[in-house]
Amino acid sequence: MHNFVNEPPLVGLKVIELGQIAAGPFAGMLLADLGADVVKVERPDGGDGMRSWPPFITNQMGESYSGNFASLNRNKRSITIDFNDPNQLEKLKNLCAEADVLIENYRPGVLKKYMLDYENLKERNPKLVYCSISGYGQTGPYSSKGAFDVTVQAISGLMSVTGVENGPTVKCGVPVGDFVTALYGAYTIMASLSRVQRSSKGTYIDCSMLGSLLGISALQTSEYHGTGKPPKRLGSAHPRNAPYQGFDASDKPFVIAAGNDKLWKAVCEIVEKPELEKDERFITQSLRAKNQRELASMLQPIFIKFTAEHWLGRFDNKGVPCAPINTFKDILNDPHVKEMGLIEDIQLPIGLFTKDIGFPIQLSDFEFEIFKRPPKLGEHNDEVFSEWIAHKV
């Protein structure tokens, strides 16, 4: 009997990744982390541009490797292909004929020049699931526009609700456009593979950063459609809950989220202001949200008197959701994160180790591991072609 304990869920899945920088490589890594054989196709002259992004980790021999690149390209193999070399291009097409999935995030139209688009590749491989990740999708007036995370955060409306009211324009500190799109892409790939099993017919996935950011903005878009007014920036506050935001303690900031009447009553007890519960401005959740500036102005002078640890302890004791506003240094050294086992040691091709966040979701009968270190450029040229297509040569 086959032992499925700790067998990766996607073992046996063959994936070609024509990805660079963030969105495509992250989508590929999501599949690789769960056991797919992900072959990263790179240019011979430098490869994925993220290979040149700091921070660089350097060994005693002076060899360097990008920590950013390592964080998005573990558990993959790398081959190099010169698209302008007909022989190499044909070898890549032969690989694509054996693949279950192809992920690419080139600008729309580029791969068609090399007959690496879905319409051409499906002639050789009718079961192929082909996922194109782009800024604005494959059609429409913006399809040919260049896109980076910050530009799509801007055009999508996300930046209009990020930051403090009347403050400067700011983007989200994490490149959510890239990573959310990769998550949508990987999710839709898996859904499509399920259909391939039933129909033996592949599919084309047009996965845009703009569509993905609008997809996760459901509360904001529904607010606009319901009121006719665009949502505004509120800093850490919430349009329909209060107190539900950040406050300053005497040493550092923290957040509380008193999202219902029971929690609001607990807040009044903790700050020793029972009269606030009866204040007509704050009797209901909607009234607290409407008058949250006044409410915050009354709570802040109280919170500043003691440390964040003092307040967080009291809120935790009463069951009020709360948290310190951590730096990444804080959270990466937090005992809870260590207990969760999220931080992994990862070996680099130059012989040194660094740390990375592993696959963050737990599955029964499978324990995540980094079974392939991030690759050198073109490290697996011979190996991949030998394994995937040698039997057809």
Side-chain angles (χ1 to χ4, degrees):
M1 175 179 273
H2 188 88
N3 181 13
F4 289 100
V5 175
N6 214 43
E7 181 178 74
L10 300 183
V11 67
L13 188 72
K14 292 181 176 180
V15 180
I16 295 290
E17 181 201 296
L18 295 167
Q20 49 195 331
I21 307 298
F26 187 54
M29 191 177 75
L30 289 171
L31 304 182
D33 280 352
L34 294 180
D37 182 8
V38 177
V39 174
K40 185 179 183 70
V41 180
E42 302 185 72
R43 305 184 313 271
D45 57 339
D48 184 340
M50 190 168 274
R51 287 185 180 272
S52 64
W53 286 26
F56 294 105
I57 300 162
T58 305
N59 65 15
Q60 292 181 340
M61 304 287 290
E63 299 173 305
S64 296
Y65 200 86
S66 166
N68 271 183
F69 180 84
S71 72
L72 295 181
N73 290 283
R74 62 179 180 240
N75 290 335
K76 302 178 187 178
R77 299 193 282 183
S78 169
I79 65 171
T80 53
I81 295 290
D82 181 353
F83 286 6
N84 294 311
D85 182 321
N87 292 328
Q88 292 190 41
L89 187 59
E90 183 62 24
K91 289 177 69 177
L92 175 57
K93 291 176 182 177
N94 288 336
L95 283 182
C96 293
E98 299 298 311
D100 300 297
V101 176
L102 186 147
I103 300 169
E104 63 92 6
N105 66 333
Y106 281 76
R107 191 176 294 200
V110 170
L111 291 182
K112 188 172 184 178
K113 299 176 184 177
Y114 303 98
M115 299 184 73
L116 290 170
D117 57 306
Y118 176 64
E119 292 302 317
N120 279 290
L121 291 182
K122 76 174 183 178
E123 296 299 318
R124 297 191 184 205
N125 186 354
K127 294 184 179 181
L128 181 65
V129 173
Y130 189 117
C131 179
S132 290
I133 295 175
S134 64
Y136 303 101
Q138 302 298 306
T139 60
Y142 297 158
S143 60
S144 62
K145 281 174 64 70
F148 279 99
D149 178 81
V150 66
T151 61
V152 185
Q153 282 198 39
I155 201 171
S156 69
L158 182 66
M159 288 174 67
S160 74
V161 293
T162 303
V164 297
E165 189 175 4
N166 302 319
T169 299
V170 295
K171 68 177 181 65
C172 178
V174 172
V176 289
D178 287 320
F179 287 87
V180 164
T181 308
L183 285 162
Y184 266 115
Y187 171 79
T188 310
I189 285 168
M190 296 312 302
S192 298
L193 286 170
S194 177
R195 189 171 68 175
V196 170
Q197 290 180 338
R198 299 192 304 273
S199 68
S200 297
K201 182 181 179 181
T203 194
Y204 179 72
I205 300 168
D206 180 0
C207 185
S208 72
M209 294 169 70
L210 176 58
S212 297
L213 284 184
L214 285 171
I216 65 165
S217 301
L219 300 184
Q220 287 70 34
T221 57
S222 63
E223 181 176 343
Y224 169 71
H225 285 131
T227 67
K229 299 177 181 179
K232 297 180 180 180
R233 286 177 284 178
L234 294 173
S236 62
H238 192 285
R240 285 168 288 281
N241 279 316
Y244 193 102
Q245 66 181 87
F247 292 97
D248 289 322
S250 62
D251 56 344
K252 63 180 183 180
F254 66 95
V255 162
I256 59 171
N260 58 46
D261 291 339
K262 180 180 178 181
L263 294 173
W264 165 236
K265 179 179 180 180
V267 169
C268 294
E269 293 173 358
I270 291 166
V271 300
E272 299 179 355
K273 292 288 184 180
E275 66 273 15
L276 291 179
E277 186 184 358
K278 307 296 184 182
D279 191 309
E280 61 182 15
R281 294 170 296 176
F282 311 136
I283 291 175
T284 66
Q285 180 174 303
S286 59
L287 285 172
R288 289 191 294 275
K290 180 181 178 181
N291 298 299
Q292 61 182 280
R293 287 185 182 177
E294 294 95 322
L295 179 56
S297 70
M298 298 173 75
L299 293 176
Q300 181 55 68
I302 300 171
F303 291 141
I304 201 70
K305 294 178 180 179
F306 298 99
T307 66
E309 182 179 8
H310 168 89
W311 292 116
L312 294 172
R314 290 193 167 200
F315 287 125
D316 279 332
N317 286 337
K318 287 285 189 178
V320 178
C322 61
I325 298 179
N326 282 333
T327 66
F328 280 105
K329 179 180 179 181
D330 296 328
I331 193 59
L332 292 176
N333 289 282
D334 189 284
H336 184 80
V337 170
K338 293 181 179 180
E339 178 69 23
M340 292 175 74
L342 294 178
I343 300 176
E344 301 277 344
D345 289 321
I346 180 169
Q347 186 176 19
L348 303 177
I350 58 174
L352 299 180
F353 283 82
T354 186
K355 292 186 181 297
D356 201 1
I357 299 297
F359 192 78
I361 310 302
Q362 301 295 317
L363 288 79
S364 63
D365 297 333
F366 170 67
E367 185 175 343
F368 168 78
E369 61 179 324
I370 299 175
F371 53 90
K372 289 190 184 80
R373 58 166 173 72
K376 290 182 181 179
L377 178 62
E379 180 178 351
H380 303 98
N381 281 354
D382 295 338
E383 180 180 297
V384 168
F385 286 107
S386 175
E387 290 181 13
W388 279 35
I389 60 176
H391 64 289
K392 295 202 170 185
V393 176

